[in-house]
């Protein structure tokens, strides 16, 4: 996007920008489209007339206007384009196929071993099968991973939890699939999804904090995801919270993630005898729900550590809002008391009112976030370099050729 927050459009990309905007922002009036895209009302009128004739856009209900006749909303015929999203984990790949408006057509998981010598070949095979099975006009593939990605356009990955060092994920997938491929840190993909479909649409600066196997943070400032100099911004899980503590996956000790990620929670529960040595998160959660005070105390202490660490992040970034999500949110009721008290207490008085919201969680949300890398670039001419240009060119093909 441009610095004034408007969507940048160039020449014959206006049609594609209108489709992308309606897909990701929802039904809008012609006046709203003109303001968002920074083009003249006459241009929008002519462009939408063409898209209506090609049955890519449809007129919806009227809404009241300030003077004059009611404005007609325009909506996307959602099959105008779609994307595939993939979330790569330490033991599987979660896949979704979505329409331009974010509607999930299909989802599934495929076993995956990132430590295997031919792991990238296997990932290419998994995504090639998804591309072949996609029904309709495919705009591109988005991939989210738990690690630092140098840029969405390049897609070179450092992911210690996967055992990958400078892995050429983007180049390998583009060569294998023959479609645009955007790669980013998995939490950044969720931040992108919030800006496209979620509560982030109403805020320009916010944090998306994930709780689960690890602890991550997507940072949005002035409407854009902040990635840092090397694609590694937001690694709040590696903030040191104790001088001496458990060894973290990054190799350091005392990191927030080592204490309150899934392995840290289980270690604390086993140390107090709440669960046995072979128990997992299911058993710990069941004990907490059954009223076991020691299990509930494990979560409460995790909440306190999270609150303390996150208060420091708020002091640095001054967000409008914090969004909490991830696999761990299913037990948030046991985190909340410790988090609320610690978070507010460690904030400066002027910051103690910063709001946070919690969102429910499904496994497919990671993959939907990855697909949003593609969907967001469909109307933003400043996103994702050459790969973003290729996505927009594919959407322009639809806008030019008409409905399929």
């Amino acid at each position: 996007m441009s610095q004034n927050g408007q969507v940048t459009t160039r020449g014959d990309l206006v049609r594609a920008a209108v489709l992308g905007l309606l897909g990701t922002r929802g039904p809008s009036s012609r006046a709203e489209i003109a303001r968002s895209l920074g083009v003249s009302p006459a241009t929008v009128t002519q462009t939408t007339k063409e898209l209506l004739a090609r049955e890519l856009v449809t007129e919806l209900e009227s809404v009241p206007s300030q003077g004059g006749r009611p404005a007609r909303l325009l909506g996307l015929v959602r099959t105008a384009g779609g994307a595939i999203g993939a979330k790569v984990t330490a033991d599987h790949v979660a896949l979704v196929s979505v329409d331009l408006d974010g509607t999930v057509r299909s989802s599934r998981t495929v076993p995956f071993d990132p430590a295997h010598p031919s792991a990238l070949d296997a990932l290419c095979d998994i995504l090639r099968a998804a591309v072949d099975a996609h029904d309709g006009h495919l705009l591109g593939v988005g991939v989210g991973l738990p690690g630092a990605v140098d840029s969405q356009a390049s897609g070179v990955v450092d992911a210690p939890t996967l055992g990958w060092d400078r892995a050429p994920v983007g180049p390998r997938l583009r060569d294998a699939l023959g479609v645009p491929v955007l790669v980013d840190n998995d939490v950044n993909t969720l931040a992108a999804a919030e800006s496209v479909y979620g509560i982030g649409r109403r805020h320009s600066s916010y944090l998306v904090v994930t709780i689960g196997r690890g602890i991550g943070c997507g940072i949005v400032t002035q409407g854009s995801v902040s990635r840092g100099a090397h694609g590694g911004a937001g690694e709040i899980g590696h903030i040191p919270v104790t001088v001496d503590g458990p060894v973290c996956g990054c190799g350091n000790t005392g990191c927030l993630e080592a204490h309150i990620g899934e392995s840290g929670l289980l270690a604390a529960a086993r140390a107090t005898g709440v669960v046995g040595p072979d128990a997992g998160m299911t058993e710990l959660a069941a004990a907490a729900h059954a009223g076991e005070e020691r299990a509930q105390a494990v979560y409460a202490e995790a909440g306190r550590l999270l609150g303390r660490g996150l208060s420091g992040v708020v002091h640095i970034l001054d967000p409008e809002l914090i969004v909490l999500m991830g696999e761990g949110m299913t037990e948030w009721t046991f985190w909340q008391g410790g988090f609320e008290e610690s978070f507010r207490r460690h904030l400066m008085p002027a910051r103690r009112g910063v709001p946070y919201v919690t969102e429910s969680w499904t496994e497919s949300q990671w993959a939907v976030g990855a697909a949003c890398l593609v969907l967001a670039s469909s109307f933003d001419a400043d996103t994702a370099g050459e790969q973003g240009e290729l996505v927009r060119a594919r959407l322009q093909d639809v806008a030019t050729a008409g409905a399929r």
Side-chain angles (χ1 to χ4, degrees), residues 21 63 109 148 150 157 174 230 246 401:
L21 188 71
V63 295
T109 60
D150 62 347
V157 176
R174 288 171 202 131
H230 307 290

Side-chain angles (χ1 to χ4, degrees), residues 294-367:
R294 292 174 299 168
Q296 294 176 356
V298 168
Y299 288 112
E301 176 60 19
R304 283 189 285 271
L305 288 174
L306 177 64
R308 183 191 307 166
L310 196 53
S311 66
V313 178
V314 169
H315 288 147
I316 295 170
L317 298 176
D318 190 23
E320 299 173 29
L321 174 75
I322 298 168
V323 182
L324 298 169
M325 60 171 57
E327 300 94 330
M329 296 311 297
T330 54
E331 274 67 58
W332 178 249
T333 184
F334 303 119
W335 292 67
Q336 187 170 10
F339 173 81
E340 177 68 27
E341 185 277 330
S342 177
F343 180 57
R344 301 299 177 193
R345 176 163 54 87
H346 286 96
L347 287 171
M348 296 186 301
R351 298 286 182 269
R352 284 180 186 157
V354 63
Y356 67 88
V357 298
T358 60
E359 293 197 356
S360 58
W361 184 256
T362 63
E363 169 71 12
S364 65
Q365 282 176 264
W366 285 114

